[in-house]
Amino acid sequence: MFDILVYLYETYYRPDACPEPAALARKLSAVGFDDVEISEALDWLNGLTEMAGTTNPALESSGTRFYIAQEVDTLGSAAVGFIQFLELAGLLTASQREIVIERALALDESPVTLGKLKIIVLMLLWSQGKEPDALMFDDLFGSDEEDAAPRLLH
């Protein structure tokens, strides 16, 4: 499913440039994606669209977000830490954070890998027509492998 999401991000600059779901499914199938993965990706994107289309002014506060045990177990400590980093750096709003959490919890995976969480954040921004700034882009596309070469600080 995540290969499809990355493909959509790379292929369609904006979400409104995507064809309707039926035509998109045919295009994805023609490219070589599996029908089950296509269905999962389109369902997940539909959930993202529904969540991103709703706004809750109560979420735009400066309060602290406490995670319940089920969220921490499903997301994992690395994902929770990364979400907190993005929010504290001002790269995600409180409502965007909640959408990221909801979409990560919608996966049948526990814990959610950091790489997949980064794709979720990227797809959220894409769905809202927002481009990640340089810091966020570096964090989203930087390697999260433990044995990767260390980053150089300038």
Side-chain angles (χ1 to χ4, degrees):
M1 176 181 92
F2 282 90
D3 290 336
I4 293 173
L5 297 177
V6 170
Y7 175 82
L8 292 175
Y9 181 81
E10 292 175 346
T11 304
Y12 300 102
Y13 181 68
R14 296 181 329 264
D16 58 352
C18 280
E20 293 299 317
L24 180 59
R26 287 191 300 276
K27 285 187 177 210
L28 292 171
S29 183
V31 172
F33 290 110
D34 181 68
D35 289 339
V36 173
E37 287 183 351
I38 293 170
S39 178
E40 288 175 1
L42 293 179
D43 287 345
W44 189 90
L45 280 172
N46 186 43
L48 177 63
T49 303
E50 289 175 6
M51 289 290 299
T54 61
T55 56
N56 186 348
L59 288 177
E60 298 307 326
S61 70
S62 59
T64 302
R65 169 62 151 90
F66 289 96
Y67 294 82
I68 62 172
Q70 177 190 5
E71 291 172 333
V72 174
D73 290 344
T74 302
L75 295 172
S77 59
V80 170
F82 188 68
I83 292 168
Q84 289 175 333
F85 162 74
L86 291 175
E87 187 178 11
L88 290 173
L91 302 172
L92 281 182
T93 65
S95 61
Q96 288 173 323
R97 174 200 64 217
E98 292 304 313
I99 294 169
V100 168
I101 293 169
E102 190 279 331
R103 291 287 77 205
L105 293 175
L107 302 175
D108 290 330
E109 184 175 321
S110 178
V112 176
T113 65
L114 196 52
K116 289 182 179 179
L117 183 75
K118 290 176 180 184
I119 294 171
I120 291 171
V121 171
L122 188 65
M123 293 308 294
L124 169 64
L125 296 173
W126 178 77
S127 73
Q128 295 178 337
K130 298 178 181 171
E131 193 72 26
D133 68 11
L135 173 63
M136 182 184 278
F137 196 81
D138 183 47
D139 283 325
L140 291 176
F141 288 108
S143 176
D144 56 327
E145 299 293 325
E146 290 180 12
D147 53 341
R151 290 185 178 178
L152 298 177
L153 300 176
H154 304 291

